């Protein structure tokens, strides 16, 4: 998708979001007043030093964690008011996750890992389709232990997109991969973003990745310190790192 | 099938050995439950059916010689359904090919029609004809012991006359499901039989025309038993009525009941142990699995599975374990239960067996097992529910260890770093270490429980046969005699010593507690039948006062010096108050002793003897046996010399079976506990141990970390197990205690040692299996996996 369409519908709207972790005596302000809006179909990249609160934000908007203070809206609905049941339904229907360590179920094959999710989704694609989108049609019966890191991450992407989610949240999807494999994974993500118009947020430590984004958010000490609009996103194959 | 179920199947495939180990422990619980309850039910129903169809009496009474016309009065008692008067006499038998004399009880059958109480089941042949006085029917156990068939004959001394009897039929009686001869400790089917003869034959032989000396009654539903017993006593008192009693005091019924009670008691003790241990093992396995799969659980929640859905996934694993345990335990339980019922059926003579196929039993066992397992799983499953999806995304924080307090820090100098590692790991999970130790100690305890019966029986045999009943034979006269009768016995060539005794039935009363029993009068100082005090020291009988066994004293709430009311049942209205002179030891029956002279004085009939205990010159046994068979006036003879061997053989056979069973159970528990905890430690510490290998430690050194942990647990389990075993043994001894017999609580050191050895061996075996896994560690694989 090209430059950000200001007429686009907001998917997430975050206002003055705070997250405080209390561990014994120590209080950690992981998020300290974050404001942010993600629009339908956009590709956002989240950058920032370690410990700046990127994962925390993603976990909260993904319904994995709850904020200490502030407001999170998903398509106009106040997520801070969601109970466990609504959060589960939200995760089941609306979001796809991709994690740094893939988090595949080791005792299930590639196909089964995807089918796990399509079984409980509302209008999923078939596991075969999802795996084909990440170019893994020929590895469907392999167990995670029999796949390379990049292949495992692509299975994880297939699993995330198979339910046709509105949003795709990726926490360092290429963090454990070499650059070549990383490109393949990013290509899978941009392809999904382009074909289905899935709102995508990617956390990365690789500054070069920002070039594939429509918008880039810079985190520091639990705050968004800068937002840059990228007028000309490039395909991942042109990103070098 | 859900995709998640495939994960379940693969998890099961991976954990099969652990799953099986737990399922086996569970199966033991299910098996023992079904076994005990199933066999009890089958036997109870068999007994009930036999009693009902063959009209087993509800009230029993004896007299010396009561006129037959009393029957009408007895029938008229309110609540009485039927009355059967009989002549019952003891006989000495002379069976061809059998050197020693056998004893028998001859019971009369009505000349016309079937008995209205205590009917016979005819296995073969027919009942004796009233017109042919030499005909008898014999009980099956006696016939089998001698290989008798209808048509065979044997000799009997009937009221002093030698007679030849012809067997017409082989029968079973609800009254003699269990038959034990007077003075015997265990049933001996060869030396003691029940004979059924026609009433007219016994009337003629014992000069009892128009009279009876035994009566059985059946009562109507809801009849007032106490009133009936009282009414029967009233009518028989003048004729030497020895007090009517209900089924509880009927020997055959009481023995059967004691046996059933023990089975039932087992159902209350053993299965809970297994269920407790399996719950603990389930908890251990599941907690570990869940700890390992934190990220997977988090992921499942992140992609939209509800907490309950994920929890259910893990609960299913538990249910599968239960299902395996239930199937194995159910099959084994029904099979062994059937065999046990058959065994009992053979031991007690039942004409048929009713197998209670109760589906509810399986249902109960299933529900109890699943409930126990889920209780064990509860905390692990709860952790699944509360695990927040976001936290699950992060690897668990490194486990926290504690220094081992003051003492162990100093132990660094004593133990190697590896040993310290092992000890620290144990200390980190005190609850788990404690439960593992407890589980293992249950195995030790079970074995102690099984083995102690040998010690107790040895002790009991010594006490009964070498300290107390040291005679070779006990002869009972047909009715009490003048002490001169003793001389006839003492004069038999080969009898080295004869000591008289006088037995009389009494009711002892203290406040509101009544006890029917027999008081035995003995000479002041005896050598053959000795009375021992509670410390097993022989007592000289005081010139007055009663000596009561501990159980009798307990039941009546009496202590030395208290007075007890003694009602002599064989005398009309003779009640005296007698002080308790001492409390004495006894393992069989309810016993009370008195100086025979004092007893004679109290009973005011002059000097009387009921029989004598004799010592026989071993070289002249046959002569003595022959003489006894010829001597008129002897009603029965118990041969203790033979009982001694019989006793050990009978009991040890049962004990060996139970020891084998208990040992198998104990080994299964040990294996289940040790193997599982070793596997879990291995899983928790795989990285650590693999790293050690990478650093250059040898396989043996690395395994030693694990083996030291197991060793400490097994070692700690021993003393605890001895304590538990002693406790179990105590409760078993208490459970066995009845008015019929009691086992002393004696546990030898060798028993503790054997139990420990078996458990240590089983523990070592489990540890070795796990050690082989360490030896085959794939270092790369272990280090690569993220935890
Ligand atoms: N469960 C927790 N308990 C306590 N503190 C936490 C917890 N999770 C995160 N934090 C703290 O919150 C802050 C932000 O963490 P977060 O994971 O969001 O950082 P991040 O930007 O994703 O860093 P990285 O790039 O290293 O992944 C950090 O200081 C972290 O230590
Ligand atoms: Mg992060």
């Amino acid at each position: 998708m090209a430059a950000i369409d200001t007429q686009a519908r907001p998917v997430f709207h975050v206002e003055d979001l705070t997250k405080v972790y209390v561990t014994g005596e120590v209080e950690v302000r992981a998020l300290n007043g974050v404001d942010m809006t993600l629009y339908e179909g956009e590709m956002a990249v989240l950058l920032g030093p370690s410990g700046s609160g990127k994962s925390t934000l993603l976990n909260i908007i993904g319904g994995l964690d709850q904020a200490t203070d502030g407001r999170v809206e998903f398509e106009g609905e106040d997520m801070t008011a969601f109970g466990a049941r609504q959060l589960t339904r939200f995760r089941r229907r609306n979001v796809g996750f991709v994690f740094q360590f893939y988090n595949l179920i080791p005792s299930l094959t590639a196909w089964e890992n995807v089918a796990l999710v399509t079984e409980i989704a509302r209008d999923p694609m078939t596991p075969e389709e999802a795996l084909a989108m990440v170019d893994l049609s020929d590895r469907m019966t392999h167990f995670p232990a029999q796949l390379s890191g990049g292949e495992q991450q692509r299975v994880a992407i297939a699993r995330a997109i198979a339910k046709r989610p509105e949003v795709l949240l990726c926490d360092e999807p290429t963090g454990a991969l070499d650059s070549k494999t990383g490109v393949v994974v990013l290509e899978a993500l941009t392809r999904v973003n382009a074909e289905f118009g899935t709102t995508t947020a990617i956390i990365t430590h690789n500054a070069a990745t920002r070039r594939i984004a429509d918008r880039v958010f810079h985190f520091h000490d639990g705050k968004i310190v800068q937002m840059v609009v990228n007028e000309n996103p490039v395909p991942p194959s042109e990103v070098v790192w | 099938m859900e995709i998640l179920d495939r994960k379940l199947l693969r998890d099961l495939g991976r954990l099969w050995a652990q799953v099986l180990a737990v399922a086996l422990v569970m199966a033991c619980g299910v098996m023992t439950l079904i076994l005990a309850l199933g066999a009890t039910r089958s036997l109870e129903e068999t007994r009930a059916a036999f009693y009902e169809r063959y009209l087993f009496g509800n009230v029993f009474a004896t007299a010396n010689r009561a006129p037959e016309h009393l029957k009408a009065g007895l029938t008229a008692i309110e609540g009485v359904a039927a009355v059967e008067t009989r002549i019952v006499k003891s006989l000495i038998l002379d069976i061809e090919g059998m050197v020693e004399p056998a004893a028998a009880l001859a019971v009369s059958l009505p000349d016309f029609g079937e008995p209205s109480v205590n009917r016979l089941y005819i296995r073969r042949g027919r009942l004796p004809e009233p017109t042919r006085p030499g005909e008898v029917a014999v009980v099956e156990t006696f016939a089998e012991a001698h290989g008798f068939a209808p048509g065979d004959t044997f000799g009997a001394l009937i009221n002093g006359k030698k007679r030849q009897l012809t067997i017409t039929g082989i029968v079973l009686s609800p009254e003699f499901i269990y038959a034990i001869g007077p003075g015997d400790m265990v049933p001996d089917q060869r030396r003691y039989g029940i004979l059924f003869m026609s009433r007219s034959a016994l009337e003629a032989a014992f000069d009892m025309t128009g009279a009876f000396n035994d009566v059985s009654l059946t009562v109507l539903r809801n009849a007032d038993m106490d009133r009936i017993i009282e009414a029967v006593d009233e009518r028989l008192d003048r004729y030497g009525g020895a007090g009517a009693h209900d089924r509880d005091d009927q020997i055959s019924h009481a023995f059967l009941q004691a046996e059933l009670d023990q089975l039932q008691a087992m159902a209350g003790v053993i299965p809970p142990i297994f269920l407790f241990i399996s719950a603990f093992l389930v908890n251990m396995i599941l907690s570990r699995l869940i700890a390992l799969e934190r990220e997977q659980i988090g992921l499942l929640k992140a992609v939209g599975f509800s907490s309950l859905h994920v929890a259910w996934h893990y609960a299913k694993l538990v249910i599968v374990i239960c299902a395996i345990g239930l199937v194995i335990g159910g099959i084994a339980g029904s099979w062994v239960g059937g065999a046990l019922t058959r065994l009992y059926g053979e031991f007690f003579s039942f004409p048929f067996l009713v197998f209670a196929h109760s589906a509810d039993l399986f249902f109960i066992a299933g529900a109890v097992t699943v409930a126990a397992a889920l209780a064990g799983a509860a905390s692990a499953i709860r952790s699944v529910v509360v695990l927040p999806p976001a936290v699950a995304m992060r690897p668990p924080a490194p486990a926290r260890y504690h220094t081992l307090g003051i003492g162990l820090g100093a132990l660094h100098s004593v133990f190697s770093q590896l040993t310290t590692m092992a000890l620290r790991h144990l200390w980190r999970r005190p609850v788990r270490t404690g439960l593992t130790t407890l589980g293992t100690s249950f195995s030790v305890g079970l074995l102690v429980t099984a083995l102690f019966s040998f010690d107790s029986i040895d002790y009991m045999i010594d006490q009964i046969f070498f300290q107390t009943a040291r005679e070779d034979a006990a002869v009972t006269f047909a009715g009490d005699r003048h002490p001169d009768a003793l001389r006839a016995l003492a004069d038999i060539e080969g009898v080295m010593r004869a000591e008289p005794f006088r037995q009389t039935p009494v009711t002892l009363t203290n406040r509101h507690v009544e006890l029917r029993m027999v008081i035995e009068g003995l000479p002041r100082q005896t050598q053959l039948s000795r009375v021992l005090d509670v410390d097993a020291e022989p007592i000289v009988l005081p010139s007055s006062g009663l000596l009561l066994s501990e159980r009798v004293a307990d039941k009546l709430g009496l202590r030395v010096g208290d007075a007890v009311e003694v009602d002599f049942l064989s005398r009309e209205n003779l009640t005296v108050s007698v002080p308790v002179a001492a409390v004495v030891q006894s393992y069989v029956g309810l016993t009370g002793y008195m100086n025979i002279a004092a007893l004679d004085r109290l009973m005011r009939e002059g000097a009387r003897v009921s029989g004598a205990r004799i010592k026989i010159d071993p070289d002249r046994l046959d002569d003595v046996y022959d003489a006894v068979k010829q001597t008129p006036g002897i009603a029965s003879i118990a041969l203790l010399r033979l009982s001694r061997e019989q006793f050990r053989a009978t009991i040890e056979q049962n004990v060996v079976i139970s020891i084998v069973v208990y040992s198998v159970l104990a080994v299964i528990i040990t294996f289940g506990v040790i193997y599982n905890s070793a596997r879990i430690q291995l899983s928790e510490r795989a990285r650590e141990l693999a790293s050690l290998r990478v650093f250059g430690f040898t396989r043996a050194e690395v395994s030693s970390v694990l083996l030291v942990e197991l060793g400490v647990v097994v070692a700690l389990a021993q003393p605890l197990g001895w304590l538990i075993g002693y406790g179990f043994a105590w409760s078993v001894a208490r459970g066995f205690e009845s008015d019929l017999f009691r086992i002393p609580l004696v546990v030898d050191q060798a028993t503790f040692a054997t139990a420990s050895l078996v458990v240590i061996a089983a523990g070592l075996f489990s540890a070795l299996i796990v050690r082989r896994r360490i030896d085959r560690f794939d270092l790369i694989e272990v280090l690569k996996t993220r935890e």
Side-chain angles (χ1 to χ4, degrees):
Chain A
M1 167 172 171
I4 169 101
D5 179 356
T6 43
Q7 299 303 302
R9 196 163 58 92
V11 178
F12 283 111
H13 178 67
V14 172
E15 245 177 65
D16 199 18
L17 194 66
T18 312
K19 174 76 187 178
V20 182
Y21 288 112
V22 185
T23 320
E25 307 275 284
V26 197
E27 263 196 15
V28 178
R29 247 169 215 281
L31 293 177
N32 192 9
V34 170
D35 299 299
M36 177 192 204
T37 306
L38 285 183
Y39 295 97
E40 191 172 9
E42 80 165 310
M43 167 75 84
V45 163
L46 278 50
L47 284 174
S50 185
S52 55
K54 308 180 294 291
S55 299
T56 306
L57 177 71
L58 216 66
N59 285 344
I60 291 173
I61 62 176
L64 294 182
D65 209 346
Q66 295 205 290
T68 311
D69 213 349
R71 198 175 163 77
V72 187
E73 277 176 19
F74 172 73
E75 295 181 341
E77 266 186 279
D78 180 9
M79 275 181 65
T80 47
F82 281 8
R85 181 186 289 266
Q86 282 164 298
L87 281 175
T88 298
R89 207 182 51 188
F90 166 71
R91 293 197 298 265
R92 183 180 285 216
R93 293 189 175 167
N94 308 103
V95 221
F97 286 101
V98 180
F99 306 98
Q100 181 179 2
F101 294 107
Y102 331 134
N103 281 309
L104 298 181
I105 306 275
S107 53
L108 296 180
T109 63
W111 184 88
E112 289 164 351
N113 262 288
V114 179
L116 184 69
V117 173
T118 57
E119 248 180 22
I120 58 167
R122 245 188 329 186
D123 173 33
M125 42 181 110
T126 63
E128 288 82 359
E129 285 175 90
L131 284 165
M133 287 202 65
V134 294
D135 268 342
L136 277 180
S137 299
D138 51 342
R139 314 304 294 269
M140 291 199 290
T141 59
H142 286 56
F143 283 95
Q146 299 165 320
L147 296 170
S148 75
E151 287 162 346
Q152 289 185 53
Q153 191 60 301
R154 274 143 68 202
V155 174
I157 293 170
R159 181 178 64 192
I161 60 172
K163 62 175 142 188
R164 306 182 209 274
E166 278 117 300
V167 263
L168 203 51
L169 305 176
C170 314
D171 195 343
E172 300 184 40
T174 58
L177 305 174
D178 67 45
S179 62
K180 213 170 120 210
T181 325
V183 168
V184 179
V185 166
L186 289 181
E187 268 173 344
L189 290 174
T190 46
R191 180 138 137 240
V192 173
N193 175 256
E195 281 184 26
F196 301 113
T198 311
T199 310
T200 308
I202 303 175
I203 293 178
T204 179
H205 277 286
N206 176 2
T209 309
R210 81 180 83 168
R211 294 178 53 213
I212 69 167
D214 298 315
R215 290 197 296 166
V216 181
F217 296 87
H218 289 269
F219 278 72
H220 197 84
D221 273 350
K223 286 194 167 112
I224 294 176
V225 289
Q226 192 189 8
M227 192 272 283
V228 179
V229 178
N230 185 2
E231 300 293 347
N232 288 309
V234 301
S237 52
E238 285 175 30
V239 177
V240 206
W241 75 81
Chain B
M1 189 169 65
E2 254 188 62
I3 297 288
L4 264 184
D5 292 336
R6 298 198 194 180
K7 170 177 176 305
L8 180 70
L9 284 181
R10 291 191 189 126
D11 285 345
L12 283 169
R14 200 160 44 83
L15 299 172
W16 70 268
Q18 281 170 273
V19 165
L20 193 66
V22 184
L24 278 179
V25 175
M26 237 175 232
C28 290
V30 174
M31 183 188 88
T32 44
L33 191 71
I34 290 181
L35 178 77
L37 291 183
T40 319
R41 275 196 199 175
S42 294
L43 287 171
E44 261 169 1
E45 283 182 27
T46 300
R47 184 180 71 174
F50 191 21
Y51 280 0
E52 199 183 309
R53 281 186 230 167
Y54 291 88
L55 304 173
F56 181 48
N58 299 102
V59 175
F60 309 84
T62 58
N64 283 335
R65 186 195 168 90
E68 183 64 16
H69 66 74
L70 283 187
K71 183 175 178 179
L74 291 168
T75 315
I77 297 170
E78 196 191 327
V80 169
V83 176
E84 187 68 39
T85 59
R86 307 185 296 188
I87 299 168
V88 175
K89 290 286 184 177
S90 295
L91 309 177
I92 295 289
L93 304 183
D94 181 10
I95 297 167
E96 214 175 310
M98 189 175 162
V99 190
E100 65 273 29
L105 198 67
V107 180
S108 74
L109 292 170
D111 284 348
F112 303 104
E114 287 203 66
S116 49
V117 182
N118 303 330
R119 281 201 184 154
L120 297 180
Y121 170 88
I122 303 170
R123 184 76 94 188
R124 286 166 70 197
R126 57 168 177 84
L127 294 181
E129 290 280 345
T131 49
R132 298 188 199 149
E135 288 187 346
V136 290
V138 300
V139 288
E140 190 176 47
T141 45
F142 180 68
E144 274 175 358
H146 291 280
F148 282 150
D152 290 348
T153 61
F154 57 87
L157 205 60
I158 299 182
N159 205 11
K161 282 177 224 112
K162 226 180 141 179
R163 296 276 291 272
Q164 201 65 14
L165 300 174
T166 307
I167 298 171
T168 59
I170 292 171
V171 297
L172 295 171
S173 162
E175 219 183 335
F176 301 102
I177 293 172
Y178 182 96
I180 186 165
D184 269 332
M185 304 289 170
V186 282
D188 184 339
Q189 287 88 358
R190 209 172 63 96
R191 283 193 301 106
Y192 187 68
I194 312 292
L195 314 179
F196 295 91
M197 300 172 72
S198 74
R199 175 81 177 251
S200 48
L202 283 172
E203 278 183 351
F206 288 94
D207 194 16
M208 292 280 284
T209 313
F212 65 90
N213 68 351
D214 179 287
V215 61
S216 297
L217 304 87
T218 49
V219 302
L220 299 171
R221 218 175 273 274
N222 303 327
D224 182 344
M225 291 292 278
D226 293 340
R227 291 271 316 272
I228 293 175
I229 288 174
E230 219 169 277
V232 171
D233 279 344
E234 240 166 61
R235 286 166 173 76
L236 290 180
D237 222 15
R238 289 175 45 206
Y239 306 98
H245 57 87
D246 60 10
R247 286 180 180 177
D248 291 345
D249 285 321
Q250 204 267 346
I251 298 256
S252 161
H253 178 86
F255 261 96
L256 200 50
Q257 190 58 47
E259 204 71 44
L260 288 172
D261 288 347
Q262 281 158 34
L263 262 179
Q264 202 120 45
M266 173 178 134
V269 178
I270 310 267
I273 294 177
F274 284 100
L275 292 179
F276 167 76
I277 293 177
S278 46
F280 158 59
L281 292 179
V282 163
N283 174 281
M284 208 158 79
I285 292 186
L286 206 63
S287 307
R288 179 58 195 153
L289 187 67
I290 286 166
L292 272 179
E293 297 190 344
R294 274 169 69 91
E295 295 91 356
Q296 298 181 37
I297 295 165
L299 173 98
L300 290 172
K301 290 191 179 184
V303 299
F305 283 93
S306 66
S307 294
L308 284 181
H309 197 139
V310 184
W312 173 233
H313 170 66
Y314 288 96
K316 272 197 246 178
L317 181 81
V318 178
I319 289 167
V320 170
I321 297 179
C322 290
I324 300 174
L326 276 172
V327 168
I328 299 177
I331 292 173
S334 333
W335 183 64
V336 181
L340 187 72
T341 309
R342 236 165 271 129
L343 203 75
Y344 271 107
E346 241 163 67
F347 181 68
F348 298 110
S349 11
F350 287 115
F352 47 77
L353 282 178
V354 180
F355 287 97
H357 287 293
S358 15
D360 63 320
L361 212 60
F362 290 90
F363 184 78
I364 291 171
V368 169
T369 309
V370 173
L374 285 179
S379 69
I381 287 180
R382 216 181 71 88
S383 74
V384 171
V385 173
V386 300
L387 196 82
V391 169
M393 288 298 109
R394 303 180 198 104
R400 246 178 272 184
Y401 286 85
H402 302 281
T403 51
L404 296 167
I406 17 147
L408 282 167
L411 291 183
H412 269 306
S413 47
V414 183
F415 292 125
S416 70
Q417 286 304 319
L418 292 184
T419 308
T420 312
M421 242 173 96
L423 296 179
R424 207 164 263 165
H425 192 251
L426 281 174
W427 194 246
R428 207 189 116 224
R429 304 246 174 153
V431 173
R432 192 170 74 189
T433 305
L435 285 174
T436 313
T437 308
L438 187 65
T440 313
S441 62
F442 274 127
S443 320
V444 182
L446 267 185
L447 279 170
V448 170
T449 315
L451 294 168
F452 104 95
S453 9
F454 269 135
D455 304 341
S456 290
I457 287 162
D458 276 347
Y459 180 81
M460 203 157 113
I461 287 175
D462 177 63
Q463 289 292 304
I464 292 178
F465 291 119
F466 295 96
Q467 305 297 331
T468 318
R470 310 200 295 178
E471 70 271 22
D472 292 320
V475 173
T476 310
F477 298 130
D480 291 355
R481 296 292 161 91
H482 187 267
D484 283 351
L486 204 61
R487 198 158 310 142
L489 270 181
D491 286 349
I492 296 174
E493 291 270 328
V495 171
M496 292 157 63
R497 191 183 167 84
E499 287 176 0
F501 63 85
R502 176 176 191 175
Q503 289 176 332
T504 187
V506 295
T507 300
L508 298 187
T509 313
N510 184 39
R511 295 200 183 91
H512 301 298
V513 195
E514 274 187 20
L515 208 57
R516 261 180 55 94
M517 54 183 280
V518 168
I519 289 184
E520 182 167 326
L522 290 174
R524 201 178 80 88
Q525 199 150 17
T526 50
Q527 283 184 16
L528 298 181
S529 167
R530 300 199 300 181
V531 179
L532 305 183
D533 67 14
V534 285
D535 299 318
E537 291 298 326
I539 287 184
V540 174
L541 268 66
S543 54
S544 69
L546 256 177
L547 292 81
L548 298 177
S549 72
E550 287 169 273
R551 183 160 175 98
V552 174
D554 275 358
K555 282 194 127 177
L556 291 171
L558 287 169
R559 282 198 272 167
V560 174
D562 295 350
V564 57
E565 198 173 291
V566 181
D567 180 10
F568 290 101
L569 297 172
S570 60
R571 302 286 314 279
E572 209 179 335
N573 296 326
L574 179 57
T575 305
V576 288
S577 177
V578 184
V580 177
V583 173
V584 300
Q585 180 206 63
S586 164
Y587 295 113
V588 187
L590 296 173
T591 42
Y593 299 99
M594 240 183 144
N595 189 314
I596 193 167
L599 188 61
D600 286 342
R601 264 202 316 278
L602 285 179
M603 291 191 69
R604 300 180 212 147
E605 289 174 320
R608 283 292 201 230
V609 294
S610 310
R613 302 208 161 82
I614 56 177
K615 178 118 198 120
I616 307 173
D617 180 350
D619 296 333
R620 315 192 65 166
L621 272 178
D622 293 3
D623 298 346
V624 175
Y625 289 159
D626 260 355
V628 167
K629 289 180 197 169
Q630 313 298 333
T631 309
I634 294 181
S636 75
I637 177 164
L639 298 176
L640 277 92
R641 173 182 283 277
L642 294 175
S643 280
R644 252 161 243 170
E645 287 129 43
Q646 183 83 20
F647 188 77
R648 196 185 277 272
T650 312
I651 293 194
E652 286 192 354
Q653 190 191 353
N654 293 341
V655 169
V656 165
I657 293 174
S658 81
I659 284 187
V660 169
V661 171
Y662 277 93
S663 304
V664 169
L665 298 184
V667 167
I668 289 177
I669 291 186
T670 311
F671 181 75
V673 172
I674 298 290
Y675 178 74
N676 264 303
S677 73
R679 278 299 301 271
I680 280 164
Q681 283 174 23
L682 185 63
S683 141
E684 282 176 354
R685 316 189 60 193
R687 278 166 82 76
E688 197 176 296
L689 299 179
S691 309
L692 289 176
R693 292 271 291 119
V694 173
F695 301 155
F697 285 96
T698 64
R699 285 185 175 151
E701 283 168 333
V702 171
S703 323
S704 79
V705 176
L706 220 62
L707 298 185
V708 162
E709 286 189 31
L710 294 176
V712 169
V713 165
V714 171
L716 286 176
Q718 302 310 318
L720 187 61
W722 298 334
L723 262 177
I724 291 178
Y726 196 83
F728 283 170
W730 179 83
S731 70
V732 165
R734 284 296 303 263
F736 264 87
E737 190 169 328
S738 68
D739 288 351
L740 301 168
F741 50 85
R742 151 180 113 77
I743 18 178
L745 178 58
V746 178
V747 191
D748 288 347
Q749 283 178 1
T751 293
F752 290 123
T754 312
S756 289
L757 277 179
V758 171
V759 169
I760 290 170
L764 211 61
F765 174 71
S766 330
L768 286 181
I769 297 182
V770 175
R771 205 206 128 139
R772 285 189 31 166
R773 293 187 78 93
I774 304 186
D775 288 351
R776 287 178 313 188
F777 250 173
D778 181 341
L779 294 182
I780 312 290
E781 174 120 17
V782 174
L783 292 175
K784 211 171 67 178
T785 49
R786 170 171 167 268
E787 231 191 81

